[in-house]
Amino acid sequence: MDLTLKFEEQFSQLSERVKSVDLHPTQPWILVALYSGTVCIWNYQSQAIQKSFKVTDSPVRSAKFIASKHWIVTGADDKFVRVFNYDTMELIKEIEAHQDYIRSVSVHPTLPYVVSASDDKLIKIWDWDKDWACTQTFEGHSHYAMQAVFNPKYTNSLASASLDGTIKIWELGSPASVATLEGHSKGVNCVDFLTCGDNTYLLSGSDDFTVKIWDYQTQDCVKTLEGHTNNVTAVSAHQEFAIIVSTSEDGSIRIWDAHTFGNFSTLNYNLERVWTVGCVKGSQKIALGCDKGTIMVEVSS
């Protein structure tokens, strides 16, 4: 890794607790979902709010851009998945998707699918080409399903993180999990995929304060990243710079070398607990959501 990487704060906005952030792939926008039930789009170039709308009176824990459709998809504690047109702010679809809080929504890289994960322990696939029909339900976790994400390389597979302490790998069209990864001593909050050369890894972050790196082929834990002093809330691979970003309730953001898995840098913006991180392919930016607001940093070498 180029050890001269710099992290420069480019955008900062104070607000109530931020539960989710997402970067638009082409527009200078950050999508911010708040515990209050409001969703905002901030323009980080003009530092001005682009759009803001109340989704629900419950916390919105996850919101993602579906840029190809000019949509936003949200998941909230009121158990609903909602889809909005971000140009008109029109509600496109409202689905009572789960029987408990929705912890995460994630968008497939190529197919018309959104995956949701919930405290009802279920993971569900929604197909917007079929009027948002639920085309598959994955069952197997014994505690809250905290996050599910699609594999960007092997796009028929996905991974989920659960407070049962496991990470599960699933395949589209197959009801049972194809693998269960065990190794964390407490609940797992977050999961992401890292592609490094020919190797694919799974990243997981846990209430045991660690991030684990798993070999996707063998399902072995190849490294445990230690340093956080409280629950790890989010983990994300930043492919452009071959770094891993982890956030924690300890208020810190740790940057890890994706080749050596060493701790490269630690950032802290003093906005209390950090809940979420957003990176987008092709971008040098990292968005962060905290108890007291949103930060965006630009990475440069």
Side-chain angles (χ1 to χ4, degrees):
M1 178 196 270
D2 181 347
L3 293 179
T4 61
L5 276 185
K6 298 184 190 70
F7 301 88
E8 184 184 355
E9 183 182 325
Q10 282 204 328
F11 174 87
S12 175
Q13 179 62 42
L14 297 180
S15 72
E16 61 216 89
R17 190 188 307 173
V18 176
K19 295 306 294 182
S20 174
V21 289
D22 193 29
L23 288 163
H24 195 282
T26 56
Q27 299 288 344
W29 295 348
I30 306 173
L31 176 63
V32 177
L34 300 177
Y35 193 79
S36 65
T38 297
V39 168
C40 310
I41 299 173
W42 284 92
N43 185 314
Y44 53 75
Q45 284 179 355
S46 67
Q47 309 274 308
I49 200 156
Q50 196 90 13
K51 306 269 181 181
S52 175
F53 46 98
K54 185 80 169 176
V55 174
T56 171
D57 289 330
S58 302
V60 178
R61 293 187 187 269
S62 190
K64 294 286 188 294
F65 284 116
I66 305 177
S68 62
K69 307 293 283 187
H70 290 229
W71 289 344
I72 293 162
V73 59
T74 66
D77 281 9
D78 64 4
K79 312 168 192 174
F80 280 85
V81 166
R82 292 179 179 87
V83 187
F84 297 87
N85 181 306
Y86 59 62
D87 295 326
T88 65
M89 292 165 68
E90 175 194 359
L91 178 66
I92 302 290
K93 192 72 180 179
E94 188 173 57
I95 312 156
E96 191 162 2
H98 287 275
Q99 294 181 334
D100 209 334
Y101 296 173
I102 298 170
R103 293 284 175 170
S104 84
V105 290
S106 187
V107 184
H108 194 280
T110 54
L111 296 170
Y113 298 162
V114 167
V115 62
S116 58
S118 167
D119 285 5
D120 65 10
K121 309 175 192 174
L122 301 179
I123 295 135
K124 294 185 178 185
I125 305 281
W126 308 90
D127 184 338
W128 68 71
D129 277 356
K130 295 181 177 173
D131 193 31
W132 291 93
C134 178
T135 55
Q136 192 163 1
T137 300
F138 299 105
E139 223 171 319
H141 282 300
S142 60
H143 206 318
Y144 302 163
M146 298 297 286
Q147 189 178 18
V149 294
F150 291 106
N151 186 333
K153 189 174 180 183
Y154 306 105
T155 54
N156 71 327
S157 65
L158 60 152
S160 59
S162 170
L163 289 194
D164 64 15
T166 70
I167 302 100
K168 287 185 181 286
I169 299 170
W170 314 84
E171 287 186 355
L172 296 175
S174 175
S177 60
V178 295
T180 300
L181 282 52
E182 299 182 79
H184 284 291
S185 61
K186 290 189 176 175
V188 185
N189 295 312
C190 49
V191 66
D192 197 20
F193 287 92
L194 166 69
T195 303
C196 231
D198 294 332
N199 298 320
T200 299
Y201 299 99
L202 262 173
L203 315 173
S204 59
S206 167
D207 287 345
D208 65 11
F209 306 174
T210 71
V211 173
K212 286 186 182 287
I213 316 284
W214 309 82
D215 185 301
Y216 184 72
Q217 302 299 337
T218 65
Q219 280 106 48
D220 293 328
C221 178
V222 295
K223 187 75 174 178
T224 299
L225 309 183
E226 297 179 321
H228 283 298
T229 57
N230 208 323
N231 302 340
V232 177
T233 50
V235 64
S236 184
H238 198 302
Q239 305 287 168
E240 304 307 305
F241 290 98
I243 55 175
I244 298 161
V245 185
S246 61
T247 66
S248 169
E249 291 186 47
D250 65 16
S252 75
I253 301 101
R254 286 184 177 259
I255 312 294
W256 312 85
D257 186 322
H259 295 294
T260 66
F261 304 137
N263 189 188
F264 171 65
S265 185
T266 303
L267 311 173
N268 196 318
Y269 297 99
N270 300 310
L271 294 177
E272 296 187 0
R273 295 171 295 184
V274 190
W275 291 108
T276 179
V277 58
C279 305
V280 67
K281 190 176 179 181
S283 170
Q284 297 178 272
K285 295 168 175 54
I286 299 170
L288 301 154
C290 314
D291 266 340
K292 291 191 166 181
T294 308
I295 296 283
M296 193 196 72
V297 295
E298 178 136 25
V299 188
S300 60
S301 53

